[in-house]
Amino acid sequence: MEQTKYFIIDFDSTFMQVEALDVLAEISLKDNQNKDKAIAEIKSITDQGMEGGMSFRESLKKRVDILEANKSHLPKLIEQLSTLVSPSFIRNKEFINNYRDQIFIVSNGFKDFIVPIVRTFGIRKENVFANEFEYDAEENIIGFDETNLLSENNGKPNQIESMQLKGEVYVLGDGFTDFEIKKAGLAHKFYAFTENVRREKILNEADHEAPSLDEFLFTQKLERAHSYPKNRIKALLLENIHEGAINRLKVEGYQVEVYPAGMTEEELSEAIKDVSLLGIRSKTLVTEKVLSNAKRLLAIGAFCIGTNQIDLSSALRKGIAVFNAPFSNTRSVVELALAEIIILMRNLPDKMSQMHLGKWSKSATGSFEIRGKKLGIIGYGKIGSQLSILAESIGMNVQYFDLEEKLALGNAYSCSSLEELLATSDVISVHVDGRPENEAIIGSREFNQMKDGVVFINLSRGHIVDIEALTENIKNGKIHGSSVDVFPEEPLSNDHPFKSPLKGLRNTILTPHIGGSTLEAQENIADFVPSKIIEYINTGSTTNSVNFPNITLPNLNQAHRFIHIHKNEPGVLAEINNVLANHGINIGGQYLKTNDIIGYVITDIDKNYKEEVIKDLKMVRGTIRFRVLY
């Protein structure tokens, strides 16, 4: 017969984000000239007591003496504490209420403020074991009841022993006094709670670390707000991804590891083994070999526009969703392109370098206005179309070529062929995506078709242009000026050397893949990509995924959500529904989207079902990945 489980939970820095006496000190000492010194002393004494550096009774006496508190301070204390409950306790309020008979708050704090807080979670007064203040005639707090077991050294073990609990006892707390319960042999396991404070000395003694209540409930296989503890989701962010993204993922509760540069295939194959979320920019290649080692990977975030550095097909076949930032740095790239058009038409790169060498070369030779010049844009997508608008607004005549039919904006003209655009443009700017078919679409043949004295700009992908052919046409004068921001091979980090035959050529701008590298763009990307990944993890929605079928899902409401990713084969949906029917499960809502490779089925059901249904769904023919959300 399964034994009853009892849960012993500490109050300060566990149920609460703070130490209550520290908050009381802020209130009671508000007008004290030595307030800061007194509060610092209280916090120091608290830490010593929690880590076992001072006997508990001694630390309690010293803190109460410093407080200078009155009973009239308690309502304000309770009001403030009610807003400082640990987030994981708030979201698991349903568990606390349902298990209130088995939950005991055992604290060295004081019932005077603990009971009003925990009572709102359904915990009964008689299940709270804590100290009690003593007051004088003016209701000043002058001490505590020294006959209370919890006012003594070793008080928590003595209190638990007196309760004579018949069953398994689990302790959740952040301090040494909580560990003492396990040390005395009165608890099955001690969980060091680290959501609010991390005490290494206590962690060394614990059976398990609990970064949140979700983790504790997960290990106990108990009902919880999150189907999977977020602290178990590890995110690896490479290539100096903006701090905003790091903070966004940390706030969500994920473990975040940061690496400043790109990784080689071998390095990433090793690093990715225990990673759930991967964030990269343009340098790191996520190959089939890398993905074969990604046993836990759920999603990849490309913190840029392009995704050609990711094997999207392999990711899809493994059930890994990929998200990028298709809009966030568009303006930054367009502004750079426009600036470079003006700089190259005025032959400024050569003039600026000559000035730095002490050479004064004032001349209008080779310098032109851009007004009235014809700009040819190859690729009329998000960046190309916005460049079209801005270029026209400052007097350029715009034409473009795209493989897909696109609506011309303003007075832009759509060329019938690439050859037409190349032969008639004064300035050519390339803005195509990185699909394999676009490799070397601009080579010797295309340069020969261009007008003499053309200005050529590539801010799209490095493999789009034959660099040797570009070099030759700059040297022979065919190209008046050129700007290149992307290269077939780029250094993994700022510490690696840059090599290119374009170095040192006349009227040539070389930039280190910074088209989208403005603070505004990086901040936008750092917000957009994590938001899509978090939405996918939390709800299953795949809006803006570049490889998954796109589907926007409603929020879950008192239900569990089954996420089933499978090979796109006939009859799989019927098998899924047969499994649900065989287990007597009524479907609250069901959503299906497919592409050529996978089917994506989302099923919302009532929370009451047997675990066997999950095993059976994982056995459905063609299953790639299965998740439960709630």
Side-chain angles (χ1 to χ4, degrees), residues 533-556:
I533 291 175
I534 290 168
E535 185 180 24
Y536 173 64
I537 297 297
N538 289 349
T539 72
S541 287
T542 54
T543 310
N544 291 115
S545 172
V546 296
N547 66 334
F548 259 53
N550 274 217
I551 185 167
T552 302
L553 298 167
N555 290 327
L556 272 173

Side-chain angles (χ1 to χ4, degrees), residues 299-482:
I300 300 171
F303 286 73
C304 52
I305 293 178
T307 55
N308 57 296
Q309 71 277 39
I310 302 168
D311 188 333
L312 295 177
S313 178
S314 292
L316 184 62
R317 294 178 194 280
K318 288 182 66 67
I320 299 165
V322 179
F323 298 88
N324 70 337
F327 315 106
S328 302
N329 64 0
T330 300
R331 177 72 182 201
S332 297
V333 177
V334 168
E335 287 185 3
L336 183 61
L338 202 55
E340 291 180 339
I341 290 171
I342 296 171
I343 289 170
L344 292 169
M345 289 290 283
R346 295 294 296 271
N347 198 25
L348 290 182
D350 289 352
K351 286 183 168 60
M352 288 187 289
S353 62
Q354 288 169 1
M355 288 291 287
H356 281 286
L357 294 172
K359 185 176 180 181
W360 186 271
S361 180
K362 183 177 179 179
S363 169
T365 303
S367 295
F368 306 94
E369 290 184 355
I370 65 169
R371 180 177 52 176
K373 301 300 185 295
K374 189 170 287 186
L375 169 64
I377 300 172
I378 302 175
Y380 204 64
K382 299 175 184 68
I383 293 174
S385 57
Q386 190 169 142
L387 175 60
S388 169
I389 295 169
L390 293 185
E392 185 177 316
S393 72
I394 57 174
M396 298 192 80
N397 300 318
V398 179
Q399 59 184 12
Y400 67 90
F401 174 74
D402 199 292
L403 292 175
E404 299 177 9
E405 187 171 341
K406 297 288 180 70
L407 175 67
L409 301 179
N411 295 310
Y413 165 72
S414 176
C415 293
S416 59
S417 67
L418 178 60
E419 289 75 15
E420 179 188 355
L421 181 143
L422 296 175
T424 56
S425 298
D426 300 304
V427 179
I428 294 172
S429 192
V430 184
H431 300 284
V432 300
D433 62 30
R435 69 185 71 179
E437 306 94 275
N438 284 338
E439 183 168 359
I441 59 169
I442 305 295
S444 295
R445 176 175 172 272
E446 287 71 29
F447 285 120
N448 287 336
Q449 293 173 345
M450 297 178 190
K451 294 171 67 174
D452 290 343
V454 69
V455 165
F456 180 80
I457 295 172
N458 181 22
L459 300 176
S460 58
R461 301 291 182 274
H463 67 279
I464 300 300
V465 178
D466 182 336
I467 294 295
E468 297 297 335
L470 174 59
T471 302
E472 180 184 343
N473 281 275
I474 295 172
K475 288 180 177 180
N476 66 25
K478 174 81 174 184
I479 294 176
H480 173 71
S482 180

Side-chain angles (χ1 to χ4, degrees), residues 24 64 69-71 74 133-136 139-143:
L24 180 56
V64 171
N70 185 277
K71 195 172 187 177
L74 296 184
F133 286 127
E134 288 185 342
Y135 307 90
D136 63 15
E139 296 191 329
N140 294 311
I141 296 173
I142 57 172

Side-chain angles (χ1 to χ4, degrees), residues 8 106 156-165 169 181 186:
I8 310 300
V106 179
K156 286 190 178 181
N158 293 338
Q159 182 65 64
I160 300 301
E161 188 172 29
S162 72
M163 292 161 64
Q164 297 186 337
L165 300 174
V169 175
I181 301 172
L186 297 167

Side-chain angles (χ1 to χ4, degrees), residues 188-202:
H188 188 66
K189 280 188 178 180
F190 166 56
Y191 288 74
F193 190 76
T194 57
E195 183 171 342
N196 304 308
V197 63
R198 186 180 182 88
R199 309 183 198 277
E200 294 298 332
K201 190 172 180 180
I202 307 306

Side-chain angles (χ1 to χ4, degrees), residues 136 239 295 566:
D136 63 15
E239 302 183 56
K295 306 303 181 186
H566 57 270

